[in-house]
Amino acid sequence: MNYIRTGLLLAGLTALFGVVGMMIGGQQGMIIALLFAGAMNVFAYWNSDAMLLRMRSARQVDDRTAPELVSMVRELSQNAGLPMPKVYVVENPQPNAFATGRNPENAAVAATTGLLKLLDRNEIAGVMAHELAHVKNRDTLTMTITATIAGAISALANFAMFAGIFGGHRNDNNNPLGGFGMILVAILAPLGAMLVQMAISRTREYQADKMGAEICGHPLWLASALNKLDKGVHTIPNQDAERNPATAHMYIANPLSGKGMDSLFSTHPDMANRIARLKAMTVPVTDQTADQPAHSGPWQTQSRNQNARRQRRRPWN
C-alpha cells in the first residue's frame, strides 16, 4: 500500500509540474517541466534523505559522541526488527525529531538538541520509537520525496512570480496566460504542493504513534513526550522549518508557528487526539508472574531465552 501511495504522490507532483510548466511556457514549457520532474523524482529517491539532513545541518553521532542516544536507538531497532539506522543530532532549540531514508536499510533518525534537553530518557525512547515506526512503515520514502519535490515546486513558483512581474508585458506566444497567469501560478502552485503533502494522510502519524508505543512498550512515554513537544513547538520557533515549510510534515510535531494558513493546512493530527489514543492503549497491570513479565521497555524481550540473554537491560545503562 505504501508503494501505491508513493506512486500516486509522485504522479500528482509530476502532473503539477506539468501544469506549472504549461502556464509559464506553453506546450514546450510543459514538456520541459515534465522532464525536469522525472529527473527530480529519480534524484529524490536516491538523494533526498542526504539533502534534507544537510538542509537541517544535522551531524551524525555514534557510540563515542552520543553513547546513550545511540544505544537507545540500537535497542529500539532490535525490538522493532529493524537494521540499525544512522543517528543524527540537529542543533535547534525547538524540541522535535524526524526520520528519513528510502528504506529501512538506508534510514536515519534525527533529534534536535532542544528535544534532548527537554525530555527525560523514557520520553526520548518513546519519540525514537515513533520515528522507527515511520521507518518500519516505509513512510520515510514518501516524506523525503514529498519534501524535495514540494520544495522544487515552490522554487518554480517563485520563478513564475519573477517572470510575471518583470516579463509579463512581453507578448510571448509560449505563455498562454501572460504575466497575470504566471502570478496566479506563483500563488496556487505552492498551495497545490501543500495539498499533495496533506494527501499523504494524517493517519500515518496515528499509526506511527501506535507502533511506536508497541516498540518501546509504554504508550504513556510517548504520550508524555507529545505533551511536552506540543508546548515546546508553540513557544520556541524553528526558523529553518519556517524558511522551508515543505519539510514540516517530516517532524513528529508540527514545527511551524501555526499562524495564519499553517494551522489550516497542518499535516499533523491534533496533538490532544494523539495523546488520547495513546492513553487508551494503556491497560491496567494485573497479577503477573516471572514467567509473564510486563512490557516495560525495548530492552525487555518477548521470550524467556531472549530475556535471559539481555537481562532486561535498559538502553542507557
Side-chain angles (χ1 to χ4, degrees):
M1 189 64 185
N2 281 283
Y3 290 111
I4 296 175
R5 184 176 62 186
T6 301
L8 292 175
L9 173 63
L10 292 178
L13 289 173
T14 302
L16 182 58
F17 255 81
V19 171
V20 173
M22 181 179 68
M23 296 187 72
I24 293 177
Q27 183 177 2
Q28 183 179 7
M30 180 182 66
I31 294 174
I32 294 174
L34 289 174
L35 291 174
F36 179 74
M40 180 64 73
N41 288 342
V42 174
F43 179 82
Y45 177 81
W46 291 105
N47 301 287
S48 57
D49 53 345
M51 286 179 57
L52 292 169
L53 289 167
R54 283 197 297 268
M55 286 169 56
R56 293 294 172 260
S57 300
R59 59 181 176 86
Q60 187 174 355
V61 295
D62 53 28
D63 289 303
R64 181 179 57 83
T65 55
E68 290 186 355
L69 179 62
V70 172
S71 177
M72 178 189 297
V73 173
R74 182 178 295 110
E75 292 284 348
L76 290 166
S77 300
Q78 292 173 358
N79 202 54
L82 290 169
M84 175 63 180
K86 295 178 181 179
V87 183
Y88 288 82
V89 172
V90 179
E91 292 290 337
N92 194 300
Q94 184 188 79
N96 229 317
F98 63 88
T100 186
R102 62 183 181 272
N103 54 40
E105 291 73 30
N106 296 275
V109 294
T112 65
T113 52
L115 179 141
L116 298 177
K117 292 178 181 178
L118 178 66
L119 304 187
D120 63 33
R121 290 170 173 174
N122 290 349
E123 292 163 343
I124 294 173
V127 170
M128 291 296 100
H130 171 98
E131 299 306 331
L132 289 172
H134 277 310
V135 173
K136 193 174 182 69
N137 290 334
R138 295 180 181 268
D139 290 330
T140 50
L141 173 61
T142 303
M143 291 188 289
T144 52
I145 291 180
T146 301
T148 302
I149 302 300
I153 290 176
S154 297
L156 191 60
N158 290 335
F159 171 78
M161 176 68 79
F162 181 85
I165 293 174
F166 296 101
H169 64 279
R170 293 180 300 177
N171 184 18
D172 190 345
N173 293 329
N174 287 330
N175 182 354
L177 297 180
F180 175 77
M182 286 189 285
I183 295 175
L184 191 64
V185 167
I187 297 172
L188 295 181
L191 180 61
M194 196 181 307
L195 292 174
V196 171
Q197 287 180 275
M198 292 179 63
I200 296 174
S201 177
R202 299 181 185 188
T203 57
R204 67 174 178 79
E205 290 297 332
Y206 286 126
Q207 181 62 29
D209 285 344
K210 180 178 182 295
M211 183 176 291
E214 294 170 351
I215 291 173
C216 73
H218 275 281
L220 292 183
W221 288 1
L222 181 54
S224 178
L226 291 180
N227 184 52
K228 290 184 179 180
L229 293 178
D230 188 40
K231 297 175 182 178
V233 296
H234 284 97
T235 57
I236 304 174
N238 187 330
Q239 298 301 330
D240 290 337
E242 296 288 350
R243 284 192 293 268
N244 188 1
T247 61
H249 63 290
M250 296 173 52
Y251 291 84
I252 186 172
N254 190 347
L256 303 179
S257 62
K259 298 177 181 179
M261 300 295 284
D262 288 345
S263 58
L264 179 62
F265 292 98
S266 174
T267 56
H268 293 70
D270 181 72
M271 193 67 83
N273 292 337
R274 295 172 65 182
I275 294 173
R277 291 194 180 197
L278 287 166
K279 289 182 177 179
M281 293 177 62
T282 306
V283 295
V285 179
T286 57
D287 293 339
Q288 296 178 3
T289 66
D291 292 336
Q292 294 178 318
H295 290 290
S296 65
W299 46 92
Q300 289 193 342
T301 59
Q302 305 298 318
S303 70
R304 297 180 192 176
N305 290 337
Q306 289 177 321
N307 190 56
R309 287 196 303 268
R310 298 170 68 178
Q311 299 177 346
R312 300 187 186 182
R313 177 172 58 87
R314 296 198 171 201
W316 45 79
N317 286 343

